[in-house]
Amino acid sequence: MAIADVTIIPIGTETTSVSDVVVEIHRILKESDKDIFFELTPMSTLIEGELPVLLEVIKEIHEVPFKLGHKRVATNIRIDDRRDRTTSMSGKLNTVNIKLAADDKKKEEEEEN
């Protein structure tokens, strides 16, 4: 599985808000029949799935601002495609959280001594 961090930015709009675009993008993602998992963050959307599927989905959501009447769109894409083992967004977070918990436990033990 690959993970894509996607930010779609309409350019030259009359407002600084992009929430209407984000809402429509997430409607499309929710209604998608593709095998993806996605998560909205304050600055982007994370999408997990097989790389060819992700690229199809990204192409589809890139079109959203145009369909809403915007004339120019910038889309930033960052892809994590690990092929030596299976990964997931939740797995990556879990690994970091386990290491942080171990650090916290070690600090507590050091403070007790």
Side-chain angles (χ1 to χ4, degrees):
M1 291 267 189
I3 301 168
D5 181 357
V6 182
T7 306
I8 298 174
I9 308 157
I11 297 174
T13 64
E14 294 178 9
T15 177
T16 57
S17 176
V18 295
S19 61
D20 289 342
V21 173
V22 174
V23 166
E24 187 58 30
I25 286 168
H26 278 263
R27 282 185 184 135
I28 289 170
L29 293 172
K30 283 180 183 180
E31 295 170 3
S32 176
D33 61 353
K34 297 188 174 32
D35 187 18
I36 59 169
F37 172 78
F38 62 92
E39 181 179 337
L40 175 65
T41 76
M43 298 294 291
S44 65
T45 298
L46 303 175
I47 311 170
E48 179 180 276
E50 295 300 326
L51 185 58
V53 174
L54 290 181
L55 296 174
E56 285 179 38
V57 169
I58 292 167
K59 182 178 177 184
E60 183 178 358
I61 63 176
H62 172 78
E63 293 296 323
V64 166
F66 292 114
K67 290 177 182 175
L68 294 175
H70 299 283
K71 303 295 183 211
R72 185 175 180 189
V73 176
T75 297
N76 298 325
I77 307 165
R78 183 173 53 178
I79 297 173
D80 179 357
D81 186 13
R82 185 168 182 174
R83 298 189 179 178
D84 61 330
R85 66 181 207 178
T86 302
T87 61
S88 67
M89 291 189 296
S90 61
K92 291 175 77 166
L93 288 173
N94 191 43
T95 299
V96 171
N97 287 328
I98 288 169
K99 290 179 180 183
L100 287 172
D103 284 352
D104 291 344
K105 184 176 180 182
K106 184 178 177 182
K107 285 180 185 176
E108 287 175 12
E109 290 173 354
E110 289 173 355
E111 289 174 2
E112 290 176 1
N113 293 332

